[in-house]
Amino acid sequence: MLIAPSLLSCDFSKMGAEIERMDRAGADWMHLDVMDAHFVPNLTFGAPVIRWLRPFSKKPFDVHLMISEPLRYIDDFADAGADIITFHIESDSDAAQTIAKIKSRGCKAGLVLKPKTPACAVFPYLENLDLVLVMTVEPGFGGQSFMADMMPKVRELKAEIQRRGLNVLIEADGGIGDATIAQAAEAGVDVSVAGTAVFKAENPAEVIRRLQAY
Ligand code: DX5
Ligand code: ZN
């Protein structure tokens, strides 16, 4: 299992040092939650912050856009150093156009599904995607409880990806830690976001290593 710590749970007064700390702790990706206080009821940071964080790690920056108009801002996030850009299929941007725009900038493209959105919503786009992010909490906040009823959606997605012989990764996001990683792995998740589980830990490296073992 690849582990992507979510910086939403970090100490925002020293984000650069927190990125370095997660890098040293063995994180595979850095998960950066962008929220616009419109698509979700919370506001975090935009491309300028990501640009300033870029030099602190060479690990892939996995940028999760919880914003209403992702297509409008792809250039900003690509210029800031995003390696992976995921956006919500429930947003106001045309999914096909936004995927094409992300890939035209040399970034990996992912579609995100809110809990209530079925797996089949991304099926028309699967051939052009590098990953699908399945939310296992309602987007907007860290520290929420894992929604185990999202695992059938992961299985359905995994089955469709395998049926078509595609190598699209499945990322899960929300409430993942020691108590929930096994069911995520068992359902077919390839990459797990972990915010609270890692940042509240005495020893983040130990938690990351345990989670990576699944
Ligand atoms: C929620 C974010 C998640 C969140 C995960 O909207 O997309 O990435 O930060 O945090 P935990 O692991 O604490 O649920
Ligand atoms: Zn996220």
Side-chain angles (χ1 to χ4, degrees):
M1 181 74 74
L2 296 181
I3 299 301
S6 163
L7 278 291
L8 185 66
S9 301
C10 82
D11 175 342
F12 275 56
S13 73
K14 46 186 181 182
M15 280 187 95
E18 293 281 72
I19 290 264
E20 280 178 332
R21 189 162 72 96
M22 286 302 119
D23 189 318
R24 283 195 308 276
D28 293 291
W29 298 355
M30 300 293 171
H31 187 77
L32 297 157
D33 285 310
V34 176
M35 301 181 188
D36 65 0
H38 186 253
F39 183 72
V40 290
N42 198 359
L43 180 62
T44 57
F45 47 82
V49 171
I50 292 176
R51 186 177 321 110
W52 280 98
L53 293 175
R54 185 66 271 184
F56 287 93
S57 171
K58 293 197 177 357
K59 300 281 175 77
F61 275 16
D62 168 31
V63 176
H64 175 192
L65 298 180
M66 287 162 274
I67 66 177
S68 296
E69 296 180 83
L71 179 55
R72 200 165 144 193
Y73 299 99
I74 300 304
D75 281 323
D76 294 350
F77 288 103
D79 291 343
D83 298 285
I84 300 155
I85 301 177
T86 62
F87 67 100
H88 278 260
I89 190 153
E90 305 90 354
S91 76
D92 298 335
S93 293
D94 177 274
Q97 276 180 38
T98 308
I99 293 165
K101 176 71 183 171
I102 293 169
K103 299 180 83 164
S104 76
R105 292 302 315 264
C107 300
K108 294 206 180 302
L111 265 174
V112 192
L113 292 166
K114 279 184 173 180
K116 291 186 183 67
T117 306
C120 59
V122 300
F123 285 6
Y125 310 98
L126 272 184
E127 318 284 332
N128 299 321
L129 288 175
D130 298 293
L131 72 155
V132 176
L133 174 51
V134 176
M135 292 306 295
T136 42
V137 294
E138 281 301 328
F141 300 91
Q144 301 178 81
S145 301
F146 178 81
M147 295 170 70
D149 55 345
M150 290 297 113
M151 293 304 102
K153 185 193 294 188
V154 171
R155 285 182 213 287
E156 190 187 343
L157 200 46
K158 194 75 173 188
E160 184 65 14
I161 290 166
Q162 286 170 337
R163 191 179 68 79
R164 297 196 205 179
L166 300 171
N167 53 3
V168 177
L169 293 176
I170 298 180
E171 183 176 17
D173 187 4
I176 293 178
D178 286 310
T180 53
I181 188 78
Q183 53 192 301
E186 203 266 325
V189 172
D190 304 295
V191 189
S192 288
V193 175
T196 312
V198 170
F199 279 97
K200 79 169 187 331
E202 271 299 297
N203 184 334
E206 252 174 46
V207 173
I208 290 173
R209 254 196 311 279
R210 278 203 305 272
L211 299 179
Q212 284 170 328
Y214 282 83

